[in-house]
Amino acid sequence: QVQLVQSGPEVKKPGASVKVSCKASGYTFTNYGVTWVRQAPGQGLEWMGWVSGFNGNTNYAQKLQGRVTMTRDTSTTTAYMELRSLTSDDTAVYYCARETEDYWGQGTLVIVSS
Amino acid sequence: DIVMTQSPLSLSVTLGQPASISCRSSQSLLYSDGNTYLIWFHQRPGQSPRRLIYQVSNRDSRVPDRFSGSGSDTDFTLEISRVEAEDVGVYYCMQDTLWPNTFGQGTKLEIK
């Protein structure tokens, strides 16, 4: 069965970076990209970007350009999302999903606090 | 970016009664391949979103048939024919016709 398992919660100081992983299983990893979505406390869903499982091409939300990098490792079928120069506005649950949005990870809480 | 606007933003429904949520896009979601990439999600508190409907009206497997999606172009609707207790939570529409994907604000459904 398809599963996406994300890394655990993180607490970071303002200005730091965070890297969240998303381990995929149950399907051919290179046939699908991975989408990243975040949700600030009590807020709606925000699309962050996408990384191709096939060739690693990416597409990022404009507001995150320059601060976010999405990568994948086909040998471990894992996708990664790194966000730099964190501020309190980046406090959120971060989700990965298969690009068709039919399967989602469990979410990773990232708290940015001094 | 395409703006997705949902209404209402909250809904209080008696068990067994129908519910309807509207989602409008700021431009047509019809893609050049002839498909319309409009998705509906349901999110319960503390859980990940779950896809209910894709390409406007295709219900995901294991989604009860009381859920249905309809619409075209810029105007879409999610209908629940008979609301059950497990349907509480927030419903989101999302377009993935044109990057960046964009979500509606969400509609919170509660039981009256």
Side-chain angles (χ1 to χ4, degrees):
Chain A
Q1 72 283 20
V2 175
Q3 279 194 306
L4 297 169
V5 179
Q6 298 183 223
S7 48
E10 304 264 13
V11 179
K12 296 292 182 181
K13 294 202 181 307
S17 299
V18 68
K19 192 169 185 177
V20 178
S21 67
C22 172
K23 166 72 175 174
S25 61
Y27 69 96
T28 302
F29 184 73
T30 51
N31 284 354
Y32 295 84
V34 172
T35 291
W36 290 88
V37 171
R38 70 179 179 177
Q39 186 170 38
Q43 302 301 308
L45 301 169
E46 178 187 12
W47 184 84
M48 298 179 67
W50 165 91
V51 57
S52 166
F54 175 65
N55 58 14
N57 285 353
T58 55
N59 193 319
Y60 302 138
Q62 189 166 13
K63 70 178 283 189
L64 298 174
Q65 287 275 2
R67 286 207 301 136
V68 68
T69 301
M70 294 176 188
T71 58
R72 94 280 186 257
D73 182 339
T74 57
S75 67
T76 60
T77 65
T78 302
Y80 299 92
M81 187 285 300
E82 182 181 30
L83 190 61
R84 300 175 293 278
S85 302
L86 293 168
T87 72
S88 57
D89 289 343
D90 296 314
T91 293
V93 176
Y94 289 75
Y95 295 102
C96 64
R98 195 166 72 164
E99 69 175 13
T100 40
E101 288 94 16
D102 51 352
Y103 291 94
W104 290 64
Q106 81 276 22
T108 296
L109 175 61
V110 175
I111 295 173
V112 183
S113 174
S114 54
Chain B
D1 298 359
I2 296 178
V3 177
M4 306 296 288
T5 304
Q6 289 183 228
S7 63
L9 297 185
S10 65
L11 204 47
S12 183
V13 182
T14 301
L15 288 173
Q17 293 301 301
S20 180
I21 301 170
S22 168
C23 176
R24 290 193 165 91
S25 56
S26 59
Q27 62 189 78
S28 176
L29 300 186
L30 179 63
Y31 190 56
S32 54
D33 64 1
N35 293 317
T36 299
Y37 293 97
L38 186 283
I39 295 176
W40 288 98
F41 297 98
H42 176 216
Q43 186 179 34
R44 296 189 179 100
Q47 295 188 13
S48 303
R50 172 196 181 199
R51 195 180 75 175
L52 298 174
I53 303 281
Y54 63 97
Q55 289 183 32
V56 180
S57 60
N58 295 286
R59 198 168 45 245
D60 273 275
S61 58
R62 291 168 296 178
V63 173
D65 62 6
R66 65 178 182 276
F67 288 92
S68 64
S70 63
S72 63
D73 197 29
T74 63
D75 200 350
F76 306 93
T77 302
L78 175 71
E79 292 183 324
I80 310 173
S81 59
R82 296 171 307 279
V83 169
E84 297 190 5
E86 66 181 17
D87 300 337
V88 298
V90 181
Y91 292 81
Y92 294 94
C93 60
M94 186 198 81
Q95 66 82 20
D96 59 354
T97 291
L98 186 66
W99 274 335
N101 293 5
T102 44
F103 291 91
Q105 316 97 301
T107 296
K108 185 174 184 179
L109 180 94
E110 64 174 23
I111 304 299
K112 195 181 293 183

